[in-house]
């Protein structure tokens, strides 16, 4: 780092370094005070660079309490910001893993990912359980907090979402906890994905890569016996609720189809529910019967089924509009002209294009 990055318009920079427990040849070796032989130690280095803060920050990983007064041009007022207390903020974390046998309650000690696999053979796991533990052990090196940050830089920081034009919004005193919880959640999401991909395969297979399928019986069986919760593209529903909807809906449909027939039978045969009079009124008020009566009244068609649900005409009957019908007020039948009122009680009716005088009688109440 250098002391000039504050003036270089550079945002956050986050780097991570890991020392895996039980592994020789780590690229970074912690000092004895930080070194752990039973854990994977990760060191995070955060450089705020040109980031200013609109309010003091007491969080130890983002500490910024040095005031910076920026004058407004042409005025005597200033705006107060705060700059970082250190050029570099450091934080150390450890990752530990543990396997437990649900059958006998025995567990491995909390230890580094490279050591937990060996320890799992000492807790009495069955062959299938041991195979599952080995699968998880192979994934653990990719799900620690180091892997959640490495290569992502400032995009791994939730605090970066509150930065606008190199100005950081307010941060709580426990921002470092929020960041570490997020890195841990990222690792858990990757672990779930790796478990699913064992059976489903990777969603993207890069050019030149290949899939190595299991060749043993347990490994092959796990490819077809794995069950995971997959909310994407699925929906939860109640079987009881669906059955109730289908049954009630079916009953309502059947009632709609049969109720009028059943009521009509009671009215016609047993003179119940208003008798035959109400049955005929119900039938004749239907739109098809109203249409039949209109056509039949003007002499169009030979009809049958006058008291049924669907009246029909004789085969071959045709209906049409008379050629000389009034186009502004069309009517069917012998009087398909329009009455033309004169305002004096008399009027002319146009029938077939010929004017004939008629008398309109007015009935006084």
């Amino acid at each position: 780092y250098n002391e000039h990055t504050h003036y270089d318009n550079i945002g956050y920079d986050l780097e991570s370094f890991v020392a895996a427990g039980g592994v020789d040849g780590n690229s970074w070796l912690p000092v004895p005070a930080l070194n752990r032989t039973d854990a994977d130690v990760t060191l995070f280095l955060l450089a705020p660079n040109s980031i200013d803060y609109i309010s003091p920050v007491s969080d130890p990983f983002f500490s910024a309490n040095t005031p910076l007064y920026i004058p407004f041009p042409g005025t005597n007022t200033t705006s107060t910001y705060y700059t970082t207390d250190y050029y570099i903020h450091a934080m150390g974390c450890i990752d530990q893993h543990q396997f437990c046998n649900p059958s006998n309650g025995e567990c491995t000690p909390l230890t580094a990912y490279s050591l937990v696999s060996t320890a799992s053979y000492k807790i009495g796991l069955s062959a299938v359980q041991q195979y599952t533990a080995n699968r998880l052990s192979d994934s653990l090196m990719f799900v620690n907090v180091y892997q959640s940050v490495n290569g992502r830089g400032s995009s791994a920081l939730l605090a970066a979402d509150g930065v606008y034009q190199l100005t950081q919004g307010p941060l709580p005193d426990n921002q470092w906890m929020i960041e570490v919880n997020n890195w841990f959640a990222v690792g858990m999401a990757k672990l779930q994905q790796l478990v699913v991909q064992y059976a489903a395969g990777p969603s993207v297979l890069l050019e030149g890569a290949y899939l190595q399928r299991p060749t043993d019986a347990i490994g092959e069986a796990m490819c077809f016996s794995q069950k995971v919760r997959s909310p994407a593209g699925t929906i939860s529903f109640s079987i009881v609720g669906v059955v109730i909807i289908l049954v009630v809906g079916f009953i309502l449909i059947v009632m709609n189809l049969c109720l009028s027939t059943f009521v009509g039978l009671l009215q016609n045969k047993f003179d119940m529910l208003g008798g035959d009079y109400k049955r005929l009124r119900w039938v004749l008020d239907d739109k098809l019967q109203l249409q039949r009566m209109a056509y039949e009244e003007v002499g169009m068609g030979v009809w049958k089924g006058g008291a049924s649900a669907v009246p029909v005409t004789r085969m071959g009957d045709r209906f049409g509009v008379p050629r000389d019908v009034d186009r502004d007020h069309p009517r069917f039948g012998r009087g398909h002209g329009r009455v033309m009122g004169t305002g004096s009680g008399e009027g002319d009716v146009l029938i077939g294009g010929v004017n004939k005088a008629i008398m309109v009688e007015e009935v006084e109440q």
Side-chain angles (χ1 to χ4, degrees):
Y1 74 94
N2 60 67
E3 300 178 4
H4 301 286
T5 55
H6 180 76
Y7 308 99
D8 294 337
N9 293 326
I10 301 174
Y12 285 119
D13 186 18
L14 179 64
E15 299 292 339
S16 58
F17 306 89
V18 64
V23 176
D24 296 329
N26 285 305
S27 59
W28 168 64
L29 183 62
V31 297
L34 293 177
N35 195 21
R36 293 284 296 269
T37 58
D38 61 345
D40 305 316
V41 182
T42 303
L43 178 66
F44 299 100
L45 299 178
L46 173 65
N49 297 321
S50 305
I51 298 294
D52 293 326
Y53 300 82
I54 63 174
S55 60
V57 180
S58 299
D59 181 89
F61 196 49
F62 293 86
S63 180
N65 297 281
T66 305
L68 175 66
Y69 303 102
I70 300 177
F72 284 103
T75 66
N76 295 326
T77 60
T78 60
S79 179
T80 303
Y81 292 87
Y82 297 86
T83 60
T84 179
D85 294 336
Y86 307 98
Y87 291 110
I88 296 293
H89 299 263
M91 178 171 60
C93 296
I94 65 170
D95 284 275
Q96 290 183 307
H97 311 278
Q98 183 181 58
F99 289 123
C100 290
N101 187 338
S103 301
N104 57 23
E106 294 186 24
C107 295
T108 67
L110 285 167
T111 187
Y113 81 85
S114 64
L115 303 176
V116 72
S117 178
T118 303
S120 66
Y121 285 90
K122 302 178 181 180
I123 58 175
L125 297 175
S126 67
V128 175
Q129 290 173 328
Q130 188 63 59
Y131 199 101
T132 304
N134 293 340
R135 281 179 50 195
L136 294 175
S137 297
D138 294 339
S139 303
L140 292 180
M141 66 177 298
F142 303 107
V143 302
N144 55 26
V145 289
Y146 167 77
Q147 296 292 351
S148 298
V149 173
N150 184 44
R152 297 176 61 195
S154 62
S155 62
L157 292 172
L158 293 178
D161 295 339
V163 175
Y164 177 72
Q165 294 184 349
L166 298 178
T167 300
Q168 173 70 64
L171 293 178
D173 295 343
N174 64 334
Q175 183 64 32
W176 73 273
M177 296 182 183
I178 297 174
E179 300 291 350
V180 174
N181 284 336
N182 178 59
W183 299 337
F184 179 78
V186 170
M188 292 297 98
K190 289 193 294 184
L191 178 60
Q192 292 175 350
Q193 183 183 22
L194 291 171
V195 170
V196 171
Q197 286 183 349
Y198 179 86
S203 56
V204 177
L205 189 62
L206 300 178
E207 185 177 356
Y210 66 95
L211 291 176
Q212 183 177 355
R213 302 180 182 277
T215 57
D216 56 286
I218 296 178
E220 291 180 349
M222 284 190 175
C223 288
F224 301 98
S225 61
Q226 183 169 291
K227 295 178 66 176
V228 296
R229 186 183 299 275
S230 180
T234 62
I235 185 171
S236 299
F237 61 91
S238 171
I239 296 295
V240 176
V242 173
V243 171
I244 292 175
I245 292 174
L246 293 177
V247 172
V248 173
F250 177 77
I251 293 175
L252 292 177
I253 292 174
V254 172
M255 289 179 60
N256 179 65
L257 295 176
C258 303
L259 185 61
S260 60
T261 303
F262 178 72
V263 172
L265 179 64
L266 294 178
Q267 292 172 327
N268 186 33
K269 299 296 184 181
F270 302 99
D271 198 26
M272 300 173 61
L273 303 176
D276 201 46
Y277 171 78
K278 287 192 174 181
R279 181 187 69 85
L280 289 177
R281 293 306 309 163
W282 173 267
V283 172
L284 296 180
D285 284 342
D286 184 77
K287 58 182 179 297
L288 295 179
Q289 288 292 352
L290 292 174
Q291 184 185 48
R292 174 196 61 84
M293 289 186 288
Y295 280 121
E296 196 170 37
E297 189 65 23
V298 297
M300 291 186 179
V302 178
W303 295 83
K304 61 180 179 179
S308 62
V310 181
V312 295
T313 63
R314 182 178 54 188
M315 184 68 67
D317 282 359
R318 295 185 177 183
F319 301 85
V321 178
R323 294 183 178 180
D324 54 354
V325 73
D326 188 328
R327 296 186 178 183
D328 295 328
H329 194 87
R331 298 173 64 193
F332 293 149
R334 292 176 294 275
H336 55 260
R338 179 173 54 173
V339 176
M340 308 296 294
T342 61
S344 60
E346 296 183 354
D348 294 332
V349 61
L350 181 64
I351 301 178
V354 180
N355 287 320
K356 293 185 179 180
I358 64 170
M359 295 295 296
V360 179
E361 296 181 358
E362 296 181 356
V363 179
E364 296 183 357
Q365 300 297 330

